Amino acid sequence: AHVIEGASEVYVKLTDKREFKAKVVGRDAKTDVAVLKIEAKNLPKVNVGDSSKVRAGEWVIAIGSPFDLENTVTAGIVSAKARDTGDFVPLIQTDVAVNPGNSGGPLINMRGEVIGINSQIYSRSGGYMGISFAIPIDEAIRVSEQIKAGGKVSRGRLGVRIAELSKDIAEQIGLPKVQGVVIAQVEPGSPAEKAGLRDGDVVLKFNGQVIEKPVDLTRAVGALKPDTKANISVWRNGAQREVALVIGEAESDKTAQKADKKSKKEIANSLGLTVTDLSDAQKRDLQSGGVVVEAVDGAAAAAGIMPGDYILSLNQLEVKDAKQFAAIVAKLDPKKAAVVLVRRDRVSQFVLLKPQQ
């Protein structure tokens, strides 16, 4: 898709010197796949392989036009499968020499079958440095079929922003092992909000699939069609629960609104936090309870909490107001770490507050 980006006209040139003006049927920037259509006869074709059967170590060749050098063939091996360099496509990594001008060309196995489309390189100079990436042909065909059918790719949408779960946070919230991803933000009006998902929930499984890292959830949701029913397992307040929801359709992020930071009553505590009650505008913006941070010191400052942050929970107890928050802090063991759910710029994350030495 990046090859035709910004083009007003697109032409396809064949090795027999024929040239055709192409119609752009559609493109999908997320997978870097585009579909072109030309009106022609007696076209050469290639055999399509099965990218799911690709093995690390097998020999492959790439064909392209690096630096306008037409029909250049380079060879190498598959270095790794399913490399996570993008949200929606696990790419094939090779050491085949690929340079600007190779994009869109085929990656071919020793049986003469196309198993990928050359798409990216890793480089600090702009040229080949021993690492290149190809879109698996199975994924490219799946995307192209959707484009041919409707001119675009439809993806499922949950309406959340997610973050990785660290070992320290997993221990503090009682998870038996480090598994899942943290919901950092639930978008208002999204399928996630309608289903009752909250900031700080840890997603363990999606439709039975174990979620180990953020890209797992992104791909699992994106692979579903809009209006599909799904089940999600989350860890909340020390227990696992099941949530049923209906997947929405992927769309652009909504513009985040700035929170009103007017405060009322200030209450300081031993964690190094000076907090205040939320204003009415802040309550409407958060759509939940919590407190706003006025000043930081000690453990809070060391953990990176800043004035203006919101505290939504402490040790998995939901925070309602400054008075209740102070009461929870008063019962804490000063020798043990505490975990708070902090929201900043509409994104929530767990923060570990360690005792100061």
Side-chain angles (χ1 to χ4, degrees), residues 18 29 32 103 127 156 171 182 198 203 211 355:
R18 285 188 293 168
D32 201 19
S103 293
E171 291 177 350
V182 180
R198 305 177 186 175
V203 179
I211 302 300

Side-chain angles (χ1 to χ4, degrees), residues 107-145:
L107 184 70
I108 302 173
N109 62 20
M110 290 295 97
R111 292 180 294 279
E113 301 167 334
V114 176
I115 57 171
I117 301 174
N118 298 313
S119 173
Q120 301 177 17
I121 60 173
Y122 173 82
S123 177
R124 293 180 177 178
S125 64
Y128 172 69
M129 292 187 69
I131 297 177
S132 53
F133 301 97
I135 305 162
I137 197 63
D138 294 358
E139 178 69 17
I141 290 176
R142 186 186 69 80
V143 170
S144 68
E145 292 298 332

Side-chain angles (χ1 to χ4, degrees), residues 59-63 73-77 96 106-110 112-113 115 118:
W59 284 91
V60 287
I61 64 172
I63 303 176
V73 178
T74 52
I77 62 168
V96 179
L107 184 70
I108 302 173
N109 62 20
M110 290 295 97
E113 301 167 334
I115 57 171
N118 298 313

Side-chain angles (χ1 to χ4, degrees), residues 57 96 215 220 230 257 318 343:
V96 179
V215 72
Q257 297 178 350
E318 293 183 14
R343 186 165 186 168

Side-chain angles (χ1 to χ4, degrees), residues 30-288:
K30 289 184 172 65
T31 55
D32 201 19
V33 172
V35 176
L36 309 180
K37 182 178 181 180
I38 61 174
E39 300 291 342
K41 297 180 179 180
N42 300 319
L43 293 173
K45 65 178 182 179
V46 293
N47 295 320
V48 175
D50 185 347
S51 54
S52 67
K53 295 181 180 179
V54 172
R55 296 181 301 171
E58 72 172 283
W59 284 91
V60 287
I61 64 172
I63 303 176
S65 302
F67 310 113
D68 291 328
L69 300 171
E70 296 181 358
N71 303 318
T72 295
V73 178
T74 52
I77 62 168
V78 174
S79 304
K81 292 180 58 178
R83 186 67 80 193
D84 290 331
T85 62
D87 285 340
F88 292 96
V89 184
L91 300 178
I92 300 171
Q93 179 186 332
T94 75
D95 68 352
V96 179
V98 169
N99 285 286
N102 273 108
S103 293
L107 184 70
I108 302 173
N109 62 20
M110 290 295 97
R111 292 180 294 279
E113 301 167 334
V114 176
I115 57 171
I117 301 174
N118 298 313
S119 173
Q120 301 177 17
I121 60 173
Y122 173 82
S123 177
R124 293 180 177 178
S125 64
Y128 172 69
M129 292 187 69
I131 297 177
S132 53
F133 301 97
I135 305 162
I137 197 63
D138 294 358
E139 178 69 17
I141 290 176
R142 186 186 69 80
V143 170
S144 68
E145 292 298 332
Q146 285 198 53
I147 292 175
K148 286 190 286 184
K152 64 176 185 177
V153 177
S154 295
R155 290 189 177 87
R157 168 179 165 267
L158 198 55
V160 297
R161 291 183 64 178
I162 51 181
E164 291 191 15
L165 177 70
S166 69
K167 180 177 180 294
D168 288 341
I169 294 298
E171 291 177 350
Q172 286 293 321
I173 64 177
L175 272 172
K177 63 178 181 178
V178 184
Q179 177 200 324
V181 295
V182 180
I183 294 180
Q185 177 190 356
V186 177
E187 183 181 320
S190 67
E193 185 191 52
K194 293 176 182 177
L197 293 177
R198 305 177 186 175
D199 290 5
D201 283 348
V202 178
V203 179
L204 304 177
K205 293 182 180 179
F206 182 82
N207 274 352
Q209 175 187 337
V210 175
I211 302 300
E212 298 284 357
K213 50 187 181 296
V215 72
D216 293 341
L217 183 61
T218 300
R219 289 174 183 163
V221 174
L224 296 181
K225 293 182 179 180
D227 298 324
T228 301
K229 293 182 179 179
N231 294 299
I232 189 167
S233 301
V234 300
W235 184 267
R236 180 191 300 168
N237 297 335
Q240 183 174 332
R241 61 183 68 196
E242 304 300 318
V243 178
L245 49 81
V246 177
I247 297 298
E249 184 170 4
E251 59 184 1
S252 58
D253 293 335
K254 294 182 179 180
T255 303
Q257 297 178 350
K258 293 183 178 180
D260 177 12
K261 296 182 180 178
K262 293 182 180 179
S263 61
K264 294 181 180 178
K265 187 177 179 182
E266 294 189 5
I267 297 182
N269 60 65
S270 60
L271 294 177
L273 289 167
T274 301
V275 302
T276 68
D277 288 325
L278 300 175
S279 67
D280 291 339
Q282 289 170 335
K283 290 178 181 178
R284 288 193 299 269
D285 183 60
L286 288 176
Q287 297 184 343
S288 68

